[in-house]
């Protein structure tokens, strides 16, 4: 959903070798010299990869690059190291998941991949948990989101305080089909009233 000019800039500035797209390449993108991989053919690609890459990676190597909004000028690529990812992994493991039942949990990814906060959710894969990606059109409708969480049997849900408040008004906790055992609330300070609503005995952690 990025504007074409932003996409073109990121492709050029990052000097990528590979570009993963959906069923087809978005219009008006210059991908000359790039290897384009379609997710529609991803299963076949995986079947062809029957080896482990012999690559040495240190904590200082770059794990990924994420671009700023560019509100003060051109977007800037921020390089995130494996050391930072490892730090996030151990914080999530120690402070959150070690406090939850030691079973394979269904963890939501509510934040778009455009935002770094999403890493904190899909890193749950490294702990052996399952992740469920919440579609953009569902994320913006409280009732649809509650229905989606129930249908997918999500157990760990991430959100900001403003979204949580709208979900509570729609009956998130009272819903009999609710399977949530933990809420990961971040990005905004949680107010006292909301905190008391979700912290009563027997409720969600």
């Amino acid at each position: 959903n990025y504007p074409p000019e932003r996409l073109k800039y990121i492709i050029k500035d990052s000097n990528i070798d590979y570009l993963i797209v959906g069923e087809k390449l978005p219009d008006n993108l210059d991908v000359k010299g790039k290897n384009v991989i379609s997710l529609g053919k991803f299963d076949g690609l995986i079947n062809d990869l029957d080896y482990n890459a012999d690559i040495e990676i240190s904590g200082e190597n770059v794990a990924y690059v994420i671009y700023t909004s560019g509100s003060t000028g051109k977007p800037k690529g921020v390089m995130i190291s494996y050391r930072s990812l490892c730090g996030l992994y151990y914080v999530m493991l120690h402070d959150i998941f070690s406090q939850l039942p030691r079973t394979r949990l269904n963890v939501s990814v509510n934040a778009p991949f455009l935002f770094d906060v999403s890493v904190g959710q899909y890193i749950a894969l490294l702990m052996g948990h399952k992740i469920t990606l919440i579609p953009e059109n569902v994320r913006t409708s409280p009732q649809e989101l509650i229905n989606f969480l129930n249908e997918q049997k999500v157990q760990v849900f991430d959100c900001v305080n403003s979204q949580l408040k709208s979900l509570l008004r729609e009956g998130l906790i009272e819903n009999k089909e609710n399977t949530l055992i933990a809420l990961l609330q971040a990005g905004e300070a949680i107010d006292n009233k909301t905190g008391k609503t979700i912290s009563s005995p027997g409720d969600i952690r």
Side-chain angles (χ1 to χ4, degrees):
N1 295 326
Y2 269 162
E5 289 305 316
R6 179 178 171 88
L7 288 174
K8 290 178 185 177
Y9 174 79
I10 290 175
I11 289 172
K12 181 179 180 181
D13 184 70
S14 61
N15 196 28
I16 59 171
D17 294 311
Y18 292 87
L19 178 66
I20 300 175
V21 301
E23 294 298 321
K24 64 177 184 177
L25 183 70
D27 297 332
N28 305 319
L29 289 188
D30 180 12
V31 292
K32 187 176 181 180
K34 311 296 182 186
N35 296 287
V36 179
I37 299 172
S38 170
L39 285 176
K41 301 176 182 177
F42 201 60
D43 289 340
L45 174 70
I46 291 297
N47 292 334
D48 290 339
L49 299 179
D50 57 356
Y51 65 92
N52 289 321
D54 184 18
I55 301 173
E56 290 188 11
I57 297 176
S58 76
E60 303 308 319
N61 284 124
V62 175
Y64 65 94
V65 176
I66 189 165
Y67 276 77
T68 63
S69 64
S71 57
T72 58
K74 287 186 176 181
K76 297 175 180 64
V78 180
M79 297 182 288
I80 308 299
S81 69
Y82 281 100
R83 183 183 302 278
S84 295
L85 277 185
C86 286
L88 176 61
Y89 169 84
Y90 283 110
V91 167
M92 297 291 291
L93 180 63
H94 180 269
D95 293 351
I96 297 174
F97 287 96
S98 66
Q99 313 300 317
L100 301 177
R102 297 180 181 275
T103 57
R104 184 171 183 260
L105 300 172
N106 186 356
V107 182
S108 74
V109 179
N110 187 25
F113 284 161
L114 304 178
F115 299 108
D116 232 13
V117 69
S118 65
V119 179
Q121 278 65 68
Y122 62 76
I123 207 170
L125 288 170
L126 299 178
M127 304 172 199
H129 300 301
K130 169 188 174 180
I131 61 171
T132 296
L133 308 181
I134 297 179
E136 180 67 33
N137 62 315
V138 171
R139 186 183 299 120
T140 55
S141 170
Q143 192 55 61
E144 285 188 37
L145 180 51
I146 291 174
N147 293 339
F148 181 84
L149 295 175
N150 293 338
E151 290 167 3
Q152 299 298 320
K153 301 187 184 308
V154 171
Q155 295 164 292
V156 182
F157 174 62
D158 64 296
C159 62
V160 295
N161 186 42
S162 54
Q163 184 182 38
L164 176 58
K165 290 171 75 170
S166 66
L167 291 170
L168 291 173
R169 285 194 296 269
E170 292 293 328
L172 172 68
I173 293 180
E174 294 83 3
N175 193 295
K176 293 181 180 179
E177 298 180 23
N178 173 31
T179 57
L180 293 175
I181 62 171
L183 286 167
L184 307 184
Q185 195 276 327
E188 300 172 0
I190 191 167
D191 58 272
N192 290 333
K193 183 179 179 181
T194 303
K196 289 177 181 178
T197 301
I198 62 175
S199 63
S200 58
D203 277 343
I204 299 167
R205 300 187 194 190

